[in-house]
Amino acid sequence: MKFGVTQSFECSYIANRQEQLLVCMEDPTDLYHNYPLLIQAGFRRSGEQLYRPNCKTCTACESLRVPVADFTASRSQKRVVNKNKNVVIKVLEGERDDYYSLYEKYINIAHKDGAMFPPSYEQYRSFVHCHWQSPIFIEGRIDGKLVGVAVTDKLTSGLSALYTFFDPNMGKQSLGTYFILQQIKLCQELELQYLYLGYQIDECNKMNYKNKFYPHERHQQNKWLKYDSKYPISE
């Protein structure tokens, strides 16, 4: 496979650090066929690209996945599910017209200090959609009103969570956690092995929600290490 390395740029997650990416440069057909292999090597999709961090002096970004057959919800996660019993979940192959307005609201309120601000429809489309891989949409509604959407890719070994956006005015509902739990549930129903959650960054508070799902595995030094707490238990 052919790969390219981007120039260094300011890190989006840790202050005063530079970021660099390793990007797969294959044709779209080859990207589609290699995606299931590359995700097991710590890669991730964003729009049309498959990439992983390639920083010379930093290894803070660790790909994290949940082996769903072994997953056990914590007490707090069970409470989150209970709090959201009135949310009606549907799994769809195409998006609905009201998705972008919720995405825009989410970015404007919850992430106005982030790299995705200010939001635009073109940015949303280029981030979520891909010519060679069609995502699925896990939507949640209360009395018909859209409250959250998890965008995810279905692969042979599991689901790859791309992005979740939800009503930022419903903070007490813990919808971010709720939609991860819904993706774990969907993996189990589809008899898939893993839910890939992207990159865990211990030094970034906004990225620390992923490490609360146990057991999980982290990609470190080209190996997947299993954690049932903050310490690895096996390779």
Side-chain angles (χ1 to χ4, degrees):
M1 283 183 273
K2 295 180 293 185
F3 297 90
V5 179
T6 68
Q7 294 183 338
S8 296
F9 53 95
E10 184 177 353
C11 181
S12 303
Y13 302 106
I14 303 176
N16 303 316
R17 294 199 193 175
Q18 292 291 301
E19 181 178 356
Q20 196 171 43
L21 302 176
L22 181 68
V23 181
C24 187
M25 304 297 292
E26 296 291 328
D27 292 331
T29 301
D30 293 320
L31 287 175
Y32 173 78
H33 290 298
N34 289 322
Y35 188 7
L37 297 174
L38 288 174
I39 199 168
Q40 295 182 53
F43 279 73
R44 181 161 176 77
R45 180 174 81 81
S46 178
E48 304 287 335
Q49 292 187 331
L50 292 178
Y51 73 94
R52 77 175 186 186
N54 190 57
C55 305
K56 295 179 180 178
T57 60
C58 179
T59 57
C61 295
E62 298 174 343
S63 185
L64 187 150
R65 67 188 186 184
V66 179
V68 299
D70 300 331
F71 172 74
T72 301
S74 66
R75 289 183 180 179
S76 63
Q77 289 164 353
K78 290 177 181 177
R79 287 195 294 269
V80 169
V81 173
N82 195 53
K83 279 194 297 188
N84 290 287
K85 281 185 175 180
N86 60 338
V87 178
V88 177
I89 293 291
K90 287 186 179 180
V91 180
L92 305 171
E93 293 186 357
E95 64 181 312
R96 297 296 180 258
D97 292 339
D98 52 356
Y99 286 5
Y100 174 70
S101 60
L102 181 62
Y103 169 86
E104 183 179 47
K105 180 180 180 181
Y106 176 72
I107 297 296
N108 280 333
I109 295 177
H111 291 286
K112 59 184 178 182
D113 59 343
M116 298 171 74
F117 181 86
S120 69
Y121 185 71
E122 292 73 19
Q123 170 218 55
Y124 163 78
R125 290 284 304 179
S126 65
F127 173 61
V128 170
H129 289 274
C130 176
H131 288 99
W132 52 267
Q133 174 74 41
S134 298
I136 59 176
F137 300 84
I138 304 171
E139 67 165 37
R141 295 181 185 270
I142 298 177
D143 297 328
K145 178 184 177 183
L146 184 69
V147 297
V149 179
V151 187
T152 188
D153 284 340
K154 182 183 176 184
L155 305 174
T156 51
S157 65
L159 297 178
S160 176
L162 293 177
Y163 200 69
T164 298
F165 52 95
F166 49 86
D167 189 336
N169 296 322
M170 296 178 63
K172 293 182 179 180
Q173 298 300 115
S174 302
L175 288 172
T177 296
Y178 177 70
F179 276 98
I180 290 178
L181 294 169
Q182 289 300 315
Q183 289 174 89
I184 290 173
K185 180 182 177 183
L186 181 59
C187 279
Q188 293 168 339
E189 291 173 351
L190 296 175
E191 297 184 348
L192 298 173
Q193 190 172 5
Y194 297 108
L195 173 63
Y196 292 85
L197 286 176
Y199 297 113
Q200 165 64 26
I201 306 171
D202 290 342
E203 297 177 56
C204 178
N205 289 334
K206 285 188 176 181
M207 301 295 285
N208 276 336
Y209 61 91
K210 298 172 185 176
N211 64 2
K212 297 176 182 177
F213 297 85
Y214 289 109
H216 65 247
E217 299 176 5
R218 297 190 190 196
H219 196 256
Q220 299 171 330
Q221 299 180 341
N222 294 318
K223 301 176 183 177
W224 288 99
L225 297 183
K226 193 171 184 178
Y227 288 71
D228 65 354
S229 64
K230 65 180 181 179
Y231 301 107
I233 57 174
S234 65
E235 294 189 6

